[in-house]
Structure formats: structure tokens, C-alpha cells
Amino acid sequence: MIKRLLWPTGKTATRATVNVYDVLRSGENGLSSHQYARMTNNLLRPSTRFVNGPHVEFLEEFDRVGDAIFEDVHFFQTNYFKNAAECISFTGRYFEAKADSQIRDVARNFVAAHKGVRPDAHKLEHGHNAPDDPIVVAKVAESKCWTLVSGNHRLASRWVKGERTAKVEIMEEVVRTPLQDMLRDVHWQKNRTELYQPIPYPEVQDWPLVRKCSDRGALIIKYLENSNHRTAVDIGCSYGWFVRLLTQRGYDTYGIDRDLFALKIAELVYGVKSNTLIRDDILHFLANQRVPYDVVTCFSVIHHFALGLGAIGPEEFVSMLDRVTGSVLFFDTGQ
């Protein structure tokens, strides 16, 4: 029997059992994961698995080193402390702690609860839940993932004790992560749940991948092996997969795309530096580029011109690519 419960806000919740590995990180101090991500400018926090977060990490470390974890030299380096300190910085408190110096007491209570010691009743007044209170999650749209709403400490304790599923209450509201929102905002996707290049985050693992990239990437690296080329540009770089690939191989690499959201994803997901990303129409860029690049890549672009969707024909477009290519041009015909 599925039991539905009414939340104070009027929203209902359903009781169910979920795979803890599919749960993503929450917000803090009553803020949703989406709100907290925007506040802290950590937009990938809601895309991070809970089991890879600071609460599980802290208990696993405690199980290895014991009370030594509370010593200054150790405690202040933990991600649990850093997460709590960030929460205080942005919201004014982390449970009963209002200053960094008080976070250790919260951590000690966390460990005590993990060991089965029930907290004093007055401590529950500062945002804590009782050990037997429900863990609350919300469904992440277009995925098998869940966003944790309430229960960081309790869920971490259960995971570290070996529980791989958890009984939860699922809020009726379905949510999206900031990463999902950004991907859907990329112009060519037209709000479709598709990936143009691989994105290694759990809530988009089931989205269809339009361009595999690794096949082209392997051929590029093999061809350029032992070459002495130094500069590269990816024309129509989208999320920046090839910009990162060539940058990691030591090339001074730039990416060109007119879609601002695609370029922001390149920075966010692949760590491409903003000063190597150029927001421009590719024809405008090619027409005004005076210095050639050693290596030019251009994938899934030329078919737009072949289909009559561009201002010029495919032959002229190839000629423009040729003018900016110093040594090697990689391209495919798309459709």
C-alpha cells in the first residue's frame, strides 16, 4: 500500500524505497538544492551524487581514524567543515553553529548519532530532525535520480553502515538541476532532452547522445601523434569537448560558438577557460580571422550550409575553413 502524506505547504508526499546511489546532493538551511547552487555559484552541486558528498566522506573518515578527525590539523581540512562554513557564510548558521568555531560541536553530534546516541531534545530546535524522522527526496525530471530535500546526516549514516536503499518520502514536485536547465536552454536543442556531446553527470545519463565524440577524438589524437603543432580552434565547439581534448594535449586551443549557454556549459562541465571561448557567429569569425591555426576542427556544421540553412554554400564555407587552417583540418559532414 502506498501512503500519501500532506505537507504543511499543501504538497503531498509518497512513501517509497529508493536506491541511495541515485540520490543527489541537497541544499542547506531550508534552501532547495537549486536555490543554494545559485546562491553559492556552485551549479554542479545538485548534479553530484550524495554518496560522494561531505557527509558520507566525513563518516567514512571517522571510521578510519576515529576521534583524531576532530583535531584541528584534521578537522578544518574536511569537506564537512568546509561545507558547514560555507553555509554559515551564506545563510548565517549551520544547525546550531553560527560561527566556524562551533561547527566541530555539530560534527560531534553527527558522529554520536551515527553511533546510536539520540540527541537531546533541545538540539532538535536548531534544524535537526529526530533519528526516526523521514528522509525526504524529490524526483529529478527526465532521469532516475532524486534530489535530497531533508536527511543528510541520517542518510549518510545509513549508507556508511552498508544500507544501499532507503525508505523515503517523495515530494510531489518534480525538479530539474541547474545543469539540466542550461542544457535545455542551448538554442539548437529547442528544449529537447538530448546531449550534443557527452556530459558525465548522473541526471543526464539517460539522455540520448547525438555526437559520441570519443570516436573522432581518438582519430584526431592518433593522427596528431608526434606532431609539432601548437595552436588549434574548434569551429562550432558546442559544449567544448574537443577544446578540452586538444588543450589537455598541450595545444593552445580556442572554441567558437554563438550559443552562450553552450559556452557556459564548456566552462562548467569541462573546465574550459573563459578566455579561450569566443562567442561569435562562425562566418563572422572566419571572415575576420587573419592568423591561421595549426589545427582546425569543425564537426556537424557543414550540412547546415549544404541544406541551404546558411548565408553561403558549402563550397564557400570549406574555402573559408581552408583560409584559417595552417596545417590540418578535421571535419565531418554531419547529416
Side-chain angles (χ1 to χ4, degrees), residues 41-44 179 182-183 186 197-201 237-244 247-248 253-257 259-279:
N41 198 32
N42 183 1
L43 298 181
L44 290 179
L179 176 60
M182 291 178 67
L183 287 165
V186 171
Q197 294 174 341
I199 299 290
Y201 284 91
C237 67
S238 189
Y239 309 156
W241 195 94
F242 292 100
V243 179
R244 182 187 65 167
T247 299
Q248 288 176 335
T253 313
Y254 292 83
I256 316 300
D257 205 287
D259 194 294
L260 181 61
F261 283 104
L263 297 180
K264 285 185 176 294
I265 291 168
E267 290 185 65
L268 183 68
V269 173
Y270 294 128
V272 178
K273 294 181 179 179
S274 60
N275 62 357
T276 66
L277 297 170
I278 301 172
R279 182 172 179 255

Side-chain angles (χ1 to χ4, degrees), residues 196-198 209-216 241-242:
Y196 190 70
Q197 294 174 341
L209 179 60
V210 178
R211 297 286 181 265
K212 185 178 179 181
C213 294
S214 59
D215 50 358
R216 296 164 175 80
W241 195 94
F242 292 100

Side-chain angles (χ1 to χ4, degrees), residues 91-166:
T91 72
R93 72 184 310 151
Y94 185 73
F95 297 100
E96 63 269 23
K98 296 181 181 179
D100 291 0
S101 60
Q102 299 170 339
I103 294 172
R104 186 158 22 202
D105 292 333
V106 180
R108 288 188 184 278
N109 292 334
F110 178 24
V111 168
H114 176 60
K115 294 163 67 175
V117 179
R118 293 185 67 88
D120 296 334
H122 76 277
K123 292 178 180 176
L124 300 180
E125 298 174 1
H126 300 292
H128 290 284
N129 294 97
D132 52 356
D133 280 352
I135 293 167
V136 183
V137 301
K139 181 65 177 173
V140 178
E142 292 103 22
S143 79
K144 64 179 182 180
C145 295
W146 311 89
T147 288
L148 186 60
V149 176
S150 174
N152 278 299
H153 295 81
R154 285 163 287 145
L155 189 59
S157 179
R158 294 174 190 182
W159 174 268
V160 173
K161 289 176 180 176
E163 298 181 27
R164 295 298 177 258
T165 60

Side-chain angles (χ1 to χ4, degrees), residues 63-103:
D63 284 350
R64 286 193 294 270
V65 305
D67 287 339
I69 198 172
F70 295 112
E71 297 173 2
D72 287 359
V73 68
H74 199 150
F75 182 72
F76 294 128
Q77 299 304 313
T78 65
N79 287 320
Y80 183 87
F81 169 80
K82 294 174 184 177
N83 177 70
E86 178 185 65
C87 183
I88 293 172
S89 173
F90 281 98
T91 72
R93 72 184 310 151
Y94 185 73
F95 297 100
E96 63 269 23
K98 296 181 181 179
D100 291 0
S101 60
Q102 299 170 339
I103 294 172

Side-chain angles (χ1 to χ4, degrees), residues 226-241:
N226 300 321
S227 72
N228 59 358
H229 304 310
R230 291 292 177 265
T231 62
V233 64
D234 186 20
I235 306 297
C237 67
S238 189
Y239 309 156
W241 195 94

